[in-house]
Amino acid sequence: MGSESSDAMSALLQPQAGLLMLNCHPDFKPPSGYCKEPALVKGCVLTYYYVD
């Protein structure tokens, strides 16, 4: 699921919404307080941290 609207993506990726985004950037380090969970795709993580 996704959206071309950055406002919609930000709303979807709030911790209380329960959705996570797949991030495959090798140097990804979310800011303190954001989750970074292992993903099934090698080298990727799941997170709700989103920057447009």
Side-chain angles (χ1 to χ4, degrees):
M1 172 190 297
S3 174
E4 292 181 12
S5 164
S6 60
D7 290 337
M9 283 300 293
S10 294
L12 289 170
L13 293 171
Q14 294 300 312
Q16 64 273 17
L19 297 176
L20 298 172
M21 178 173 70
L22 186 67
N23 185 314
C24 298
H25 190 280
D27 298 323
F28 174 69
K29 292 179 180 75
S32 178
Y34 287 91
C35 74
K36 178 180 171 183
E37 302 294 330
L40 294 176
V41 179
K42 185 178 179 179
C44 298
V45 296
L46 296 170
T47 185
Y48 55 81
Y49 178 69
Y50 171 76
V51 175
D52 185 21

